[in-house]
Amino acid sequence: MEEKMVLCGANSYQQKYYFNQQFKGLPEAVQRELQILCVLYTEDVGGILTMEFDPEGNLEFRVAAADGDYLFDEIGSALKIKQYQMEKRELLESLELYYRVLFLGEKL
């Protein structure tokens, strides 16, 4: 497995949220929390946020902004991601474990 796998994402330009149905086994509360996290991010700083697993099973935040989007807050983006990584550390670590066990076949 060499590609990254997208867990979820939000796009402020199209005002849409995406959730990868391969993760539909996650509890509904976790799915809602991910949606809230992604949508609030794009509402606060703009752009596009995706949460992706790298080939080793690490969960990464990926951010993109349209060329010429002068409203995108690059500094606010970095700060918001650091805030999420601190406040949601337990959730993010649990998602990484879930991915490594179910998708990568690692043993507990």
Side-chain angles (χ1 to χ4, degrees):
M1 182 173 197
E2 297 176 11
E3 293 185 16
K4 295 178 186 257
M5 180 175 287
V6 175
L7 169 61
C8 58
N11 183 324
S12 69
Y13 307 115
Q14 298 176 355
Q15 296 183 342
K16 291 193 179 199
Y17 171 75
Y18 167 78
F19 180 78
N20 186 340
Q21 289 301 302
Q22 289 182 290
F23 295 94
K24 66 184 175 189
L26 288 170
E28 187 67 33
V30 171
Q31 291 182 36
R32 276 194 311 273
E33 191 166 352
L34 289 169
Q35 181 176 8
I36 290 167
L37 186 144
C38 289
V39 171
L40 284 178
Y41 170 92
T42 57
E43 288 293 316
D44 287 346
V45 296
I48 301 167
L49 172 71
T50 55
M51 296 176 68
E52 306 173 354
F53 290 101
D54 70 13
E56 290 80 39
N58 301 306
L59 187 57
E60 301 174 345
F61 290 83
R62 293 280 174 221
V63 177
D67 292 337
D69 181 356
Y70 301 109
L71 298 177
F72 177 72
D73 184 359
E74 200 168 324
I75 295 170
S77 170
L79 292 173
K80 181 65 76 179
I81 288 172
K82 286 199 183 297
Q83 175 189 351
Y84 286 163
Q85 289 171 332
M86 287 176 31
E87 291 178 359
K88 305 293 183 184
R89 191 178 104 225
E90 189 174 320
L91 170 66
L92 300 175
E93 288 174 354
S94 296
L95 288 167
E96 287 177 344
L97 181 61
Y98 177 88
Y99 182 77
R100 286 181 175 134
V101 170
L102 290 176
F103 288 84
L104 300 180
E106 291 183 10
K107 302 283 184 219
L108 285 176

